């Protein structure tokens, strides 16, 4: 099938490349000419494992192209995907101006049937608003709006797209349903849920809100563990083995960051508010998540006693592993506070340091280094902010020998406390009874 895809951010780019990989003919549009030039040359604009090879092979196979021209993306495409950003407004609602801009841009160019599909997360009833806008703009051709939400995670986006747990198709007519089912003819080996547009919109918001709730729930249990001497990892396993609960998204730590959970929670709460439903649970989820940074900084403060003039090595600044994305990353709230406290930082992230450096350029108080070992050099403490797998296999004897004082404050509960103590570290994590252990052994 011929597809036009609007927006080449994380969702748009992965969607474009993966649909091309499945044999569809894809023209992806972005208004940023630099992005279009780079992608057309086969150079990725984001770091995403596995995407580079697929981008190049599909460009070579001429199944995929990029353009700044909306008409080119629309031309002969039966299905048009909206993959532009839907960030938060200051009042928490989703800012749909980019969606509206695309709709306004394509309306004068529509000359035959088009199925316009929402892929980005949008509030319930957005499809209705898009449809109304198209009519108001004088489009007479038969156009429809459908929803086909994307559930991919950054860092494993290609895998998630090609091996989804489920595909959700929200369509209100036979024709729209038929087109989307044809698009997903490939054997994905997963259920395809066909529902109304409104349901599909709600499923996407509900999924993200529920996953965020799981994370905040386990983080509250972590707080309780700290007080009563429990171990949150053991509890997560103990409850997760119950199939009704499941083991995923029960990793306690610094909480969720990223461009989706925070904004989608806020938007979902606003949707509920406007419908007269007080979704206080989700407000609490957000509050718990925000408080993680304070909890971690308190541990660092206690471990180092006085922060001023101390050196801290920071391991990871991305909002999660396997990505260079720092949007809403806890590091963005932690780093300025440490700098204000007079701490000197030695920062290492395998992919995301460059993005942080555009916000916090290197100076005498902040150095970007090329390895976790370099981050440890001369440090009074190491602060783990991202769950990168490579941190697991560090030579801790070497790390310890490089540090001025052997303190690790682990915001992602990456390491096993006993192992760290054997290496001679004073080790703090979240909700794993460290404080109690310290008391027992100290
Ligand atoms: C999320 C959803 O998972 C995905 O379905 C949706 O399409 C987009 O939003 P993403 O934000 O890319 O994906 O990453 P995800 O793996 O969900 O992690 C989000 C955040 O939660 C990260 O900061 C991660 O570190 C944190 N997290 C995740 C935890 O703190 N604990 C966990 O158990 C899982």
């Amino acid at each position: 099938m011929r597809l036009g895809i609007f927006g080449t951010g994380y969702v748009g780019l992965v969607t474009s490349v993966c649909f091309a990989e499945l044999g569809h003919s894809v023209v992806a549009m972005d208004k940023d000419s630099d992005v279009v030039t780079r992608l057309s040359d086969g150079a990725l604009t984001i770091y995403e494992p596995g995407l580079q090879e697929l981008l190049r092979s599909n460009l070579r196979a001429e199944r995929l192209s990029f353009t700044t021209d909306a008409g080119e993306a629309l031309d002969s495409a039966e299905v048009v995907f909206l993959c532009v950003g839907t960030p938060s407004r200051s009042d928490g609602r989703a800012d749909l101006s980019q969606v509206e801009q695309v709709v306004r841009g394509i309306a004068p160019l529509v000359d035959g049937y088009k199925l316009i599909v929402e892929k980005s997360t949008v509030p319930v009833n957005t499809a209705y608003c898009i449809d109304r806008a198209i009519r108001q703009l004088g489009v007479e051709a038969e156009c429809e709006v459908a929803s086909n939400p994307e559930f991919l995670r950054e860092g494993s986006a290609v895998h998630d797209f090609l091996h989804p747990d489920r595909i959700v198709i929200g369509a209100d007519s036979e024709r729209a349903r038929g087109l989307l089912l044809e698009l997903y003819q490939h054997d994905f080996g997963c259920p395809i849920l066909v529902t109304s547009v409104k349901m599909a919109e709600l499923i996407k918001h509900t999924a993200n809100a529920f996953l965020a709730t799981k994370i905040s729930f386990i983080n509250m249990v972590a707080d309780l563990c700290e007080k009563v001497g429990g171990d949150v990892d053991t509890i997560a396993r103990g409850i997760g083995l119950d199939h009704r609960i499941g083991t995923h998204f029960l990793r306690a730590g610094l909480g969720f960051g990223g461009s989706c959970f925070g904004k989608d929670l806020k938007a979902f709460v606003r949707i509920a508010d406007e419908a007269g439903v007080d979704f206080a649970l989700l407000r609490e989820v957000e509050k718990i998540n925000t408080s993680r940074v304070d909890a971690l900084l308190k541990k660092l403060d206690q471990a180092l006693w006085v922060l001023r003039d101390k050196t801290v090595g920071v391991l990871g600044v991305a909002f999660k592993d396997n990505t260079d994305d720092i949007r809403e990353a806890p590091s963005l709230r932690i780093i300025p506070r440490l700098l204000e406290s007079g701490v000197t930082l030695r920062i290492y992230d395998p992919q995301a340091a460059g993005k942080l450096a555009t916000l916090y350029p290197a100076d005498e108080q902040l150095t970007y280094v090329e390895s976790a070992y370099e981050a440890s050099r001369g440090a009074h403490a190491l602060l783990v902010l991202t769950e990168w797998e490579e941190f697991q296999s560090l030579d801790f004897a070497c790390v310890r020998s490089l540090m001025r004082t052997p303190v690790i404050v682990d915001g992602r509960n990456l390491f096993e406390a006993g192992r760290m103590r054997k290496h001679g570290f004073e080790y703090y994590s979240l909700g794993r009874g460290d404080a109690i252990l310290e008391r027992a052994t100290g």
Side-chain angles (χ1 to χ4, degrees):
M1 288 174 86
R2 288 188 61 92
L3 310 177
I5 297 194
F6 287 80
T8 61
Y10 278 92
V11 170
L13 183 57
V14 174
T15 302
S16 302
V17 171
C18 290
F19 272 139
E21 179 66 14
L22 294 174
H24 299 293
S25 177
V26 177
V27 181
M29 186 271 173
D30 201 292
K31 57 183 193 303
D32 186 330
S33 57
D34 284 346
V35 167
V36 167
T37 306
R38 284 178 64 187
L39 292 172
S40 303
D41 289 342
L44 276 187
T45 42
I46 52 170
Y47 171 78
E48 184 60 45
L51 195 58
Q52 179 76 78
E53 305 77 56
L54 295 189
L55 169 69
R56 294 211 172 134
S57 60
N58 283 289
L59 283 170
R60 269 198 308 274
E62 297 184 355
R63 282 192 296 264
L64 176 63
S65 63
F66 297 91
T67 180
T68 50
D69 179 0
E72 206 179 317
L74 207 62
D75 189 33
S76 71
E78 283 170 287
V79 184
V80 173
F81 280 94
L82 302 181
C83 299
V84 290
T86 53
S88 281
R89 292 181 356 177
S90 55
D91 62 1
R93 285 193 213 164
D95 176 354
L96 296 175
S97 56
Q98 293 183 52
V99 174
E100 195 251 4
Q101 217 179 332
V102 173
V103 171
R104 233 177 330 117
I106 61 178
L109 308 169
V110 172
D111 55 1
Y113 178 85
K114 301 282 172 206
L115 179 62
I116 299 169
V117 186
E118 305 161 339
K119 198 87 173 123
S120 322
T121 312
V122 289
V124 63
N125 289 328
T126 298
Y128 166 77
C129 298
I130 294 174
D131 190 61
R132 204 182 49 174
I134 290 172
R135 305 294 152 214
Q136 283 172 347
L137 289 162
V139 176
E140 281 169 13
E142 198 191 336
C143 278
E144 289 183 274
V145 186
S147 167
N148 168 222
E150 186 46 64
F151 299 101
L152 56 82
R153 292 161 300 170
E154 290 179 23
S156 53
V158 173
H159 178 272
D160 290 352
F161 190 98
L162 297 173
H163 306 279
D165 287 344
R166 79 307 208 178
I167 292 162
V168 175
I169 289 177
D172 291 336
S173 79
E174 275 309 320
R175 186 172 186 177
R177 265 191 292 278
L179 275 172
L180 285 172
L181 284 170
E182 193 186 331
L183 186 62
Y184 283 104
Q185 248 176 15
H186 173 84
D187 181 15
F188 288 95
C190 73
I192 298 187
L193 178 68
V194 181
T195 179
S196 67
V197 177
K198 194 190 264 195
M199 286 302 103
E201 290 171 338
L202 281 168
I203 285 169
K204 173 66 194 190
H205 256 142
T206 307
N208 276 358
F210 186 75
L211 290 170
T213 304
K214 261 186 122 174
I215 297 172
S216 280
F217 180 87
I218 203 67
N219 281 331
M220 270 324 275
V221 176
D223 280 359
L224 179 64
C225 284
E226 300 225 335
K227 300 289 178 207
V228 301
D231 173 57
V232 70
D233 289 352
T234 309
I235 295 175
R237 184 150 174 76
I239 62 168
L241 288 171
D242 183 330
H243 286 106
R244 293 170 303 174
I245 296 173
T247 49
H248 299 291
F249 276 71
L250 288 177
R251 235 179 34 242
L254 256 182
F256 55 82
S259 67
C260 290
F261 282 170
K263 89 168 161 71
D264 289 351
L265 265 186
K266 284 191 187 82
F268 207 37
V269 168
R270 284 305 305 242
I271 290 166
D273 275 349
E274 280 160 23
V277 175
D278 180 12
F279 217 149
L281 172 68
L282 294 186
R283 265 190 274 273
E284 202 56 34
V285 166
E286 202 187 345
K287 203 168 111 199
I288 293 165
N289 195 57
T290 307
S291 69
R292 296 303 91 192
V293 163
D294 286 337
L296 192 78
L297 287 179
K298 195 168 160 205
K299 295 209 175 208
L300 183 71
D301 205 36
Q302 282 170 351
L304 293 184
W305 184 32
V306 171
L307 288 179
R308 180 154 300 281
D309 297 332
K310 295 277 168 44
T311 297
V312 172
V314 177
L315 299 190
V317 292
F319 84 96
K320 63 178 282 193
D321 58 329
N322 285 323
T323 183
D324 61 350
D325 197 348
I326 56 169
R327 286 176 294 172
E328 305 299 323
S331 62
L332 294 181
R333 290 190 288 132
I334 291 172
I335 283 161
R337 281 176 61 178
L338 291 177
L339 291 173
E340 265 165 41
S341 305
V343 173
T344 297
L345 295 175
R346 296 178 66 74
I347 295 180
Y348 170 65
D349 186 290
Q351 294 295 335
K355 286 207 169 140
L356 190 76
T358 61
L359 300 175
Y360 297 97
D363 59 20
E364 67 282 354
Q365 213 190 338
L366 191 160
T367 311
Y368 292 96
V369 295
E370 292 302 317
S371 72
Y373 298 107
E374 278 309 309
S376 317
R377 193 178 292 282
H380 295 92
L382 272 185
L383 189 62
V384 182
L385 303 185
T386 310
E387 59 272 40
W388 284 97
E389 206 180 315
E390 68 168 69
F391 299 153
Q392 294 278 10
S393 50
L394 287 171
D395 174 348
F396 281 100
C398 176
V399 169
R400 195 189 158 188
S401 71
L402 290 166
M403 292 178 73
R404 214 171 300 185
T405 50
V407 174
I408 295 182
V409 181
D410 179 357
R412 294 296 181 177
N413 289 1
L414 266 194
F415 309 124
E416 209 252 303
R419 183 172 157 231
M420 290 301 112
R421 289 204 181 86
K422 263 194 211 126
H423 279 294
F425 288 102
E426 207 178 296
Y427 177 75
Y428 302 90
S429 55
L430 294 160
R432 300 199 299 176
D434 306 332
I436 301 287
L437 258 176
E438 286 303 326
R439 249 183 270 139
T441 54

